[in-house]
Amino acid sequence: MTTTLIRGGTVVTATGRSQADVLVDGETIVAVLAPGSVVLGTDLSRAVHTVIDATGKYVIPGGIDAHTHMELPFGGTAASDTFETGTRAAAWGGTTTIIDFAVQTYGQRVMDGLATWHEKASGNCAIDYAFHQIVGDVNEDSLQALESLPDEGITSFKMFMAYPGVFYSDDAQILRAMQVSARTGMMTMMHAENGPAIDVLVGQLLAQGKTDPYYHGVARAWQMEEEATHRAIMLANLTGAPLYVVHVSAKQAVEQLAAARDVGQNVFGETCPQYLYLSLEEQLGAPGFEGAKWVCSTPLRSKAEGHQAHMWQSLRTNDIQMVSTDHCPFCMKGQKDLGLGNFSKIPNGIGSVEHRMDLLYQGVVDGQISLERWVEITSTTPARMFGLYGKKGVIAPGADADIVIYDPNGHTSIGYEKTHHMNMDHSAWEGFEIDGHVDTVLSRGKVVIDDNQYLGAKGDGQFVKRGLSQYLI
Ligand code: DUC
Ligand code: ZN
Ligand code: ZN
Ligand code: ZN
């Protein structure tokens, strides 16, 4: 077992920052020490094999991206990142754990869907990974299967109020699954958009010849998100299920979540980098079919209507608790272009797993959030929300040595020809400049990124079983 000393840095956690050295033994953090406590050449230091100099840099717990879709079958194609390429890209960007969505498709058994996901991921990941379960077909058999998921280390499942005919669950199905959630303590996760109503609007827009990518966002209006969010909250209220609404983008949806939290309901929300930085107006202004790279659901919202600013505000007020990517990459050629002449055929999704830590750090530089809040919303809260805390999400003795050394004096230019390790033919983040840089990444004690080199290997990452959420009242 190698022993590593990270010295000279500023350790930043969700609750504060201090000058400290971090001692790692094998895969685990064993001590957080006053600077210089380990004097090289003394007995204690004889055991130290590697010294990493973090002077002038932040030492933070590795990022946890609680919403990714490697290899997701969608829109007649599949998300272009495999577990191998997607987790490697995540490591490049300072994310050391992903929680991906295992998929039960319509007509499939939940446990068969889960087994398929284990096959896809096992032996292929660069970093640790866990699963949520998508329930695409709520029936007697699925409801029974849900009861046994916590034993498999899966303590959350997701349903879709959108995508009729694909993943969609109606209110009756949602109610029944939420009853299981209430009984077991498992988190219900919800894609909250009124799919049947959206499909009517999609048909009407197409009939009027409005086929460009921009109309995706017009059809998926904020009212569709607010209404579904409210309905999900009411069903959760009735059943007592804890509820986590994914990819929140509309300020009206945040207000629904905030009102429920104000009265003590176990309701949570995540937003994604695209809703903090990108807008429907920019999509409208993109030439030709270019706007297809930003087609995702929920859609980009109007900046003029104030959604973006409200998302940042919600991160400050904790009306939104954390940021995940909804990483769901598709190439323009051969995938997004399925929707040339019909926006509804563009596979939904943006690839961001590599850039989440940097994009949110820019929020610190821009004065949107504090340094500690950055760590909280990208690592600590995801760990607490989804039963990983203690091992993940913190720099403390006993935690896995998932550590990022972040250089606030470094710089990252994001772009397809620059920083890009995701398996897609473009970047949705082209031209973004970050006033910071991921210098070194340790995944369970192993240095996997250092000085712009990848030093890990596929299979380094292990499946992590999760406990119940530690965020519930
Ligand atoms: N939203 C996306 O953008 N992609 C995959 C599924 C989803 O809900
Ligand atoms: Zn979704
Ligand atoms: Zn998703
Ligand atoms: Zn550097």
Side-chain angles (χ1 to χ4, degrees):
M1 281 281 140
T2 45
T3 305
T4 304
L5 180 68
I6 301 168
R7 68 174 179 190
T10 303
V11 173
V12 184
T13 67
T15 52
R17 64 187 93 170
S18 61
Q19 293 297 120
D21 297 347
V22 179
L23 191 63
V24 173
D25 189 15
E27 301 188 346
T28 310
I29 296 170
V30 291
V32 181
L33 304 155
S37 321
V38 177
V39 180
L40 295 177
T42 64
D43 274 356
L44 174 58
S45 72
R46 258 182 222 133
V48 174
H49 300 102
T50 312
V51 177
I52 299 174
D53 181 12
T55 304
K57 295 169 188 170
Y58 298 131
V59 179
I60 63 168
I64 299 172
D65 190 340
H67 188 159
T68 70
H69 296 289
M70 306 306 169
E71 306 178 39
L72 176 75
F74 194 89
T77 182
S80 56
D81 262 319
T82 61
F83 277 89
E84 181 182 351
T85 62
T87 58
R88 192 168 58 217
W92 272 102
T95 285
T96 53
T97 306
I98 60 162
I99 314 181
D100 201 86
F101 286 86
V103 179
Q104 175 212 20
T105 53
Y106 191 78
Q108 189 185 34
R109 301 190 73 184
V110 168
M111 288 308 179
D112 292 341
L114 176 58
T116 303
W117 238 254
H118 274 297
E119 279 163 34
K120 285 177 195 275
S122 178
N124 289 320
C125 292
I127 52 166
D128 283 357
Y129 62 99
F131 293 146
H132 312 284
Q133 180 69 48
I134 284 175
V135 197
D137 189 358
V138 178
N139 56 39
E140 291 304 329
D141 184 64
S142 311
L143 290 168
Q144 219 166 41
L146 289 182
E147 304 262 0
S148 62
L149 284 180
D151 295 335
E152 309 279 328
I154 295 164
T155 52
S156 44
F157 58 85
K158 178 182 177 190
M159 289 175 289
F160 291 78
M161 301 167 98
Y163 307 127
V166 190
F167 298 122
Y168 177 74
S169 293
D170 66 25
D171 293 349
Q173 291 172 308
I174 290 168
L175 182 81
R176 297 192 68 197
M178 279 186 170
Q179 287 169 338
V180 176
S181 169
R183 193 162 55 244
T184 57
M186 294 176 80
M187 186 74 83
T188 294
M189 304 174 79
M190 194 62 75
H191 177 127
E193 284 187 300
N194 187 325
I198 286 169
D199 280 3
V200 171
L201 297 181
V202 167
Q204 291 172 347
L205 287 164
L206 291 173
Q208 293 163 33
K210 295 177 173 166
T211 62
D212 287 347
Y214 163 78
Y215 292 103
H216 169 83
V218 175
R220 306 184 92 89
W222 61 261
Q223 291 91 337
M224 302 288 145
E225 186 183 348
E226 180 183 13
E227 184 279 326
T229 303
H230 178 74
R231 189 156 30 102
I233 289 169
M234 285 301 116
L235 293 169
N237 187 304
L238 182 69
T239 55
L243 174 69
Y244 176 99
V245 180
V246 295
H247 50 53
V248 177
S249 61
K251 64 181 180 186
Q252 295 85 355
V254 177
E255 272 148 21
Q256 294 292 335
L257 297 171
R261 288 173 57 70
D262 283 350
V263 295
Q265 205 178 326
N266 278 314
V267 167
F268 313 99
E270 100 191 336
T271 193
C272 311
Q274 51 269 35
Y275 310 123
L276 295 163
Y277 285 107
L278 304 172
S279 70
L280 193 58
E281 287 90 343
E282 284 169 273
Q283 193 172 31
L284 178 62
F289 191 63
E290 279 292 291
K293 68 185 181 190
W294 294 324
V295 165
C296 57
S297 294
T298 58
L300 302 187
R301 299 284 176 206
S302 160
K303 192 172 181 174
E305 288 175 5
H307 299 283
Q308 246 180 44
H310 197 83
M311 287 301 139
W312 283 113
Q313 177 184 314
S314 309
L315 287 174
R316 290 190 292 274
T317 59
N318 205 38
D319 286 341
I320 292 287
Q321 289 74 44
M322 51 186 270
V323 179
S324 318
T325 55
D326 195 11
H327 177 76
C328 194
F330 295 101
C331 292
M332 288 295 269
K333 222 172 144 54
Q335 297 198 293
K336 291 277 189 184
D337 60 8
L338 293 168
L340 268 166
N342 180 344
F343 69 82
S344 74
K345 299 256 187 290
I346 301 169
N348 292 193
I350 291 183
S352 317
V353 76
E354 183 173 353
H355 303 309
R356 185 184 61 124
M357 299 302 286
D358 280 326
L359 288 166
L360 271 294
Y361 180 73
Q362 191 60 36
V364 177
V365 175
D366 294 345
Q368 295 281 12
I369 51 172
S370 71
L371 190 61
E372 287 80 2
R373 185 65 175 157
W374 172 53
V375 172
E376 187 169 30
I377 63 180
T378 57
S379 178
T380 308
T381 298
R384 291 183 64 209
M385 188 69 74
F386 292 114
L388 291 166
Y389 189 73
K391 281 283 176 202
K392 310 287 188 193
V394 66
I395 303 269
D400 287 348
D402 292 351
I403 300 170
V404 173
I405 300 172
Y406 199 83
D407 185 357
N409 297 307
H411 190 86
T412 306
S413 292
I414 300 179
Y416 183 66
E417 304 285 346
K418 301 169 191 162
T419 321
H420 188 96
H421 301 90
M422 299 174 285
N423 184 37
M424 50 196 299
D425 62 0
H426 68 281
S427 172
W429 299 98
E430 195 65 47
F432 274 72
E433 299 289 335
I434 308 295
D435 298 309
H437 187 67
V438 172
D439 253 18
T440 307
V441 179
L442 283 80
S443 171
R444 266 184 299 95
K446 177 175 174 177
V447 175
V448 293
I449 298 289
D450 194 34
D451 268 336
N452 298 311
Q453 282 184 66
Y454 176 64
L455 305 171
K458 80 172 193 171
D460 280 350
Q462 296 175 8
F463 177 68
V464 185
K465 288 188 167 193
R466 298 183 291 113
L468 293 175
S469 176
Q470 293 154 327
Y471 222 79
L472 306 185
I473 297 167

